[in-house]
Amino acid sequence: MASNVILKNVNKVYPNGFHAVYDFNIDIEKGEFIVLAGPSGCGKSTTLRMVAGLEEISSGDLVINGKKVNNVAPKDRDIAMVFQNYALYAHMTVYHNMAFSLTIRKVDPVEIHARVMKAAEILGLIPYLNRKPKQLSGGQRQRVALGRAIVRDPVVFLLDEPLSNLDAKLRGSMRKELMQLHERLNSTFIYVTHDQIEALTLASRIVVMKDGYVQQIATPKEMFDNPENLFVAGFIGTPPMNFLHGSIDNNGEYFIHESSGLKFKLTDHQQDIIGSYIGKEVIMATRPEYVFIDDLHLKQNSENVFEFNIDYTEYLGAYHLLYGAIGEENIISKVYTRQEIVDKKIKACFDMNNVHFFDIETTKRIR
Ligand code: ATP
């Protein structure tokens, strides 16, 4: 499929000299749902605003549908943007809010009516067309903001934290609606969020950024299973990954955990790739989902059992989170059991097939 949006070595340096985005590169295919994720200040909104034309691109190329658009005005870029604060016109009805951008573009009124009605139908807004924004709920307002973008029939939808003003429950249902909307429109979406649940559930590919640098671009599954570096490993997934400091033994067979002195046996694959780290310090990382306490796993992973000192547990209905330590390092285990966990010291194990090792200097995953 042809690339729909290309960013090539895109940089942003603000007039005060602050370098907010470094060498951003991505090829986005038509119909992709790209989520830009990362902590506050990492440069995701700046990137989106450069695509929208609301911020000048300091260097690099932005190509939309085969045409370089660095110097094309926002209104001529074939994009539509949805903001966090909806930015609806308070004095206009829902209908006129949606029609407005087409009216100022002097689109034929018959065409405007058809497009507004179609968008209203897709978004379930037909009963509210004569209401003003203040007579709507937060979710309905967000839908009107989406409707304003849909009527434009843009090549690319740009969404900047569109759900962050909604309460948790509504966010959940709007996530589902956004997914369905994207499927129905089959347009390209670029979506900014700092919420990694939104990133995992919505994206066809996630871009994780930190301090203006892209850390990894991957599908949600790839990013969850194979994070490129320690930052991504800690950012994607709740609760976050467990990190253990230690070193590889001189035979390249075991990870020796520093603070407990315990040894964990590397898989054959890990022994193959660990070559240059023999005898060196590394970080071992594993998700809470792969720290087990049940008999079956303890038996299957008998070489990798340890004493888990539990500080406290959280009961979350279908599962428990166990917070504790191995040696002096804190770890979390997510266990699917309905039994109450009362012991403060229990046997636990790592499934080494689901463990990664990271270089302590570069923070990159060893592979
Ligand atoms: P948030 O989630 O808080 O919106 P973000 O990842 O979207 O964060 P940006 O808004 O892209 O972050 O900002 C990236 C960096 O650029 C921040 O450090 C911010 O302070 C800085 N920045 C943003 N706008 C300007 C500006 N006009 N001049 C100088 N620096 C700016």
Side-chain angles (χ1 to χ4, degrees):
M1 216 182 265
S3 293
N4 198 211
V5 181
I6 301 172
L7 280 83
K8 201 165 171 226
N9 296 330
V10 167
N11 281 270
K12 177 66 189 180
V13 183
Y14 279 108
N16 67 355
F18 184 76
H19 202 145
V21 176
Y22 293 85
D23 280 329
F24 197 116
N25 282 294
I26 192 169
D27 255 33
I28 303 173
E29 287 181 1
K30 181 177 178 327
E32 275 205 85
F33 199 132
I34 297 293
V35 174
L36 306 181
S40 184
C42 69
K44 47 198 191 303
S45 294
T46 301
T47 304
L48 195 78
R49 290 168 62 79
M50 285 194 283
V51 177
L54 302 173
E55 282 303 341
E56 206 179 312
I57 295 170
S58 307
S59 67
D61 289 341
L62 170 66
V63 177
I64 298 180
N65 260 3
K67 189 174 145 206
K68 184 172 163 182
V69 294
N70 289 45
N71 298 318
V72 173
K75 68 177 177 41
D76 300 324
R77 281 192 187 191
D78 228 346
I79 49 105
M81 189 145 174
V82 181
F83 296 93
Q84 171 180 354
N85 59 6
Y86 323 130
L88 300 179
Y89 301 110
H91 62 286
M92 287 186 199
T93 62
V94 167
Y95 183 98
H96 285 110
N97 260 287
M98 291 204 274
F100 184 69
S101 70
L102 302 178
T103 311
I104 55 169
R105 282 179 170 77
K106 303 204 169 23
V107 177
D108 172 38
V110 177
E111 170 77 14
I112 294 179
H113 182 69
R115 288 208 214 169
V116 170
M117 294 311 286
K118 186 171 166 215
E121 198 250 307
I122 290 174
L123 295 163
L125 287 171
I126 301 273
Y128 310 103
L129 285 173
N130 290 321
R131 291 206 195 165
K132 301 266 177 69
K134 70 170 186 303
Q135 298 166 310
L136 299 173
S137 70
Q140 290 161 345
R141 274 180 224 165
Q142 192 48 268
R143 261 182 254 149
V144 179
L146 284 167
R148 283 201 316 192
I150 292 172
V151 296
R152 301 265 315 280
D153 194 19
V155 171
V156 190
F157 284 84
L158 305 174
L159 301 106
D160 195 351
E161 306 236 16
L163 307 186
S164 61
N165 280 350
L166 306 177
D167 66 47
K169 197 163 164 223
L170 196 51
R171 269 212 305 273
S173 62
M174 282 300 289
R175 267 207 310 269
K176 187 170 123 235
E177 286 188 28
L178 270 176
M179 259 186 269
Q180 290 168 338
L181 181 67
H182 174 252
E183 227 163 79
R184 183 157 178 182
L185 298 173
N186 194 27
S187 305
T188 306
F189 279 36
I190 307 179
Y191 186 103
V192 161
T193 184
H194 60 263
D195 178 343
Q196 49 98 17
I197 304 275
E198 276 177 26
L200 284 170
T201 52
L202 292 171
S204 55
R205 282 189 295 162
I206 305 173
V207 182
V208 172
M209 297 180 73
K210 179 183 173 244
D211 299 336
Y213 289 93
V214 170
Q215 302 291 306
Q216 186 171 4
I217 302 180
T219 63
K221 181 170 179 353
E222 175 65 12
M223 204 166 268
F224 189 83
D225 291 345
N226 294 311
E228 197 61 39
N229 59 34
L230 285 173
F231 177 77
V232 177
F235 182 74
I236 295 285
T238 27
M241 263 199 178
N242 297 305
F243 297 125
L244 300 175
H245 290 76
S247 54
I248 302 298
D249 79 318
N250 289 333
N251 295 323
E253 281 178 41
Y254 289 93
F255 169 79
I256 306 166
H257 180 226
E258 192 178 306
S259 78
S260 68
L262 289 170
K263 284 176 161 187
F264 298 100
K265 180 95 193 272
L266 271 54
T267 63
D268 290 347
H269 173 66
Q270 288 161 352
Q271 293 187 30
D272 286 345
I273 59 167
I274 212 72
S276 61
Y277 291 90
I278 289 177
K280 295 206 178 126
E281 277 183 52
V282 292
I283 290 175
M284 178 170 120
T286 188
R287 296 213 174 271
E289 287 82 353
Y290 301 121
V291 181
F292 296 102
I293 61 166
D294 62 284
D295 291 341
L296 181 64
H297 280 100
L298 287 170
K299 203 166 147 202
Q300 283 170 345
N301 299 285
S302 55
E303 285 189 278
N304 302 304
V305 173
F306 61 94
E307 191 167 70
F308 187 13
N309 299 310
I310 298 174
D311 294 327
Y312 64 100
T313 63
E314 278 177 356
Y315 170 67
L316 288 144
Y319 59 89
H320 285 79
L321 292 179
L322 315 180
Y323 294 82
I326 164 169
E328 279 159 25
E329 271 188 301
N330 290 334
I331 60 165
I332 305 172
S333 164
K334 184 173 184 178
V335 292
Y336 289 85
T337 173
R338 302 201 56 87
Q339 278 170 15
E340 215 179 324
I341 294 156
V342 285
D343 295 339
K344 285 288 169 201
K345 272 186 203 297
I346 55 171
K347 288 219 174 311
C349 65
F350 295 125
D351 170 4
M352 294 299 281
N353 291 303
N354 286 297
V355 157
H356 295 294
F357 293 98
F358 290 89
D359 184 307
I360 214 155
E361 301 284 330
T362 65
T363 80
K364 290 210 162 107
R365 181 164 53 86
I366 299 168
R367 53 191 195 158

